[in-house]
Amino acid sequence: MAQLPYLAVIVDLDRTLLRTDKTVSDYTLEVLQAWREAGAFLLAATARPERAITEYRDLIGFHAATTLNGARTVTPDSVYENTIDTEDAVSILEQLLRQEGAVISVEAENGIYANSDIPVWHPAVIDDIGMLPRREKIYKILASHPDMPPEQIAVDLPENVYSTVADKKLRQYMSKAATKWRGIRQMLENVNVETEKAVYFGDDNDDAEPIRRCGYGVAVKNALDHIKEIADEITESNDEDGVARALDRLWPRK
């Protein structure tokens, strides 16, 4: 059997590796297992918090994961954190709270909090969310509004904070030190793999830099158009085992 073309397989989870129903097919598990047994490191790069990837970590056997878009990266022997400065987080929350109807959630040191219930996430709803940064480390702030697209949610950004749109419906705010690419570099350094020997799979805005910078960048068919434009390959969609099919083309097992 031919030698592996890449030594690290890095995957985004939602809308990339995971199917729409949040499952992973037996075929995809088989392919990932074959790469792992051949010596590749399997790494996750996701917007999800660590608590929300446990079942996939155990199912797939990820060696390491960068979570919350790079705000927290966990390897077998290290944890790297890139949090929002306390005063910066307070400023952002104050501005969001002045926008009537805004739904605000915060990924913090002890879990997720919100100013109103968000059924899919089950946050702790608190009245004083604006003061949360004075009690806990803040990894990420998210906002949406029922009457406006996320691009129109206006905040004067502190110098050390950046903002992106996720999943076409959420505005997210993070420290400039927290990016998927930074988390990926930390994972690759931990396993001693050069970026040129890594293949990356993604679909959304925060996948652009990893797709450009890794040795081989793959977009699933359901990715945003500008992500597909910069990818080395466009594979099948997340519901068509796109990650596994691309890996089988890169390294045929038979």
Side-chain angles (χ1 to χ4, degrees):
M1 187 177 291
Q3 185 177 2
L4 285 175
Y6 298 98
L7 299 179
V9 176
I10 313 168
V11 292
D12 172 53
L13 296 184
D14 294 285
R15 298 172 302 281
T16 298
L17 180 69
L18 305 183
R19 295 183 289 194
T20 301
D21 64 2
K22 305 304 180 185
T23 62
V24 182
S25 74
D26 289 341
Y27 166 59
T28 292
L29 290 174
E30 176 186 321
V31 172
L32 291 173
Q33 178 70 12
W35 277 68
R36 188 155 67 94
E37 290 178 352
F41 293 99
L42 304 183
L43 309 174
T46 179
R48 289 180 176 225
E50 194 175 346
R51 65 181 180 277
I53 68 167
T54 302
E55 65 174 299
Y56 304 113
R57 181 196 63 203
D58 296 342
L59 179 67
I60 293 166
F62 287 120
H63 180 83
T66 186
T67 64
L68 297 165
N69 300 97
R72 182 176 166 87
T73 300
V74 180
T75 71
D77 52 18
S78 302
V79 175
Y80 307 91
E81 293 188 324
N82 299 294
T83 58
I84 304 175
D85 175 79
T86 297
E87 296 307 318
D88 289 347
V90 168
S91 172
I92 293 167
L93 288 168
E94 285 178 347
Q95 294 179 70
L96 291 173
L97 286 166
R98 288 198 292 267
Q99 301 183 44
E100 187 175 354
V103 178
I104 305 164
S105 59
V106 180
E107 285 287 357
E109 182 178 3
N110 293 314
I112 185 169
Y113 301 83
N115 65 337
S116 61
D117 189 34
I118 305 173
V120 69
W121 291 345
H122 308 293
V125 179
I126 57 175
D127 294 330
D128 64 340
I129 196 167
M131 291 296 102
L132 183 63
R134 302 203 185 281
R135 301 193 296 269
E136 297 188 25
K137 292 186 289 187
I138 305 300
Y139 298 111
K140 180 162 62 171
I141 298 170
L142 301 107
S144 63
H145 198 288
D147 299 323
M148 67 176 72
E151 294 83 359
Q152 293 182 13
I153 298 175
V155 167
D156 291 329
L157 290 178
E159 182 179 356
N160 294 317
V161 174
Y162 75 99
S163 175
T164 63
V165 172
D167 198 22
K168 300 181 181 179
K169 59 187 178 184
L170 289 171
R171 193 88 190 178
Q172 58 184 9
Y173 304 89
M174 303 181 64
S175 164
K176 285 184 177 178
T179 66
K180 267 193 178 182
W181 178 239
R182 182 169 185 156
I184 287 166
R185 285 193 293 113
Q186 289 166 334
M187 292 192 294
L188 290 175
E189 288 170 6
N190 182 266
V191 298
N192 197 29
V193 172
E194 298 293 328
T195 57
E196 293 79 9
K197 297 300 291 181
V199 55
Y200 184 84
F201 294 86
D203 74 293
D204 210 344
N205 290 309
D206 55 9
D207 298 311
E209 190 170 13
I211 282 177
R212 284 197 303 264
R213 290 180 176 267
C214 283
Y216 196 69
V218 184
V220 286
K221 187 170 67 177
N222 52 290
L224 298 176
D225 288 342
H226 70 274
I227 298 299
K228 290 187 283 190
E229 288 173 1
I230 63 173
D232 296 305
E233 178 184 342
I234 300 172
T235 188
E236 289 84 350
S237 75
N238 63 317
D239 284 323
E240 299 169 313
D241 295 308
V243 170
R245 294 187 185 282
L247 290 175
D248 259 350
R249 287 190 290 270
L250 286 170
W251 184 61
R253 292 173 292 149
K254 298 178 182 179

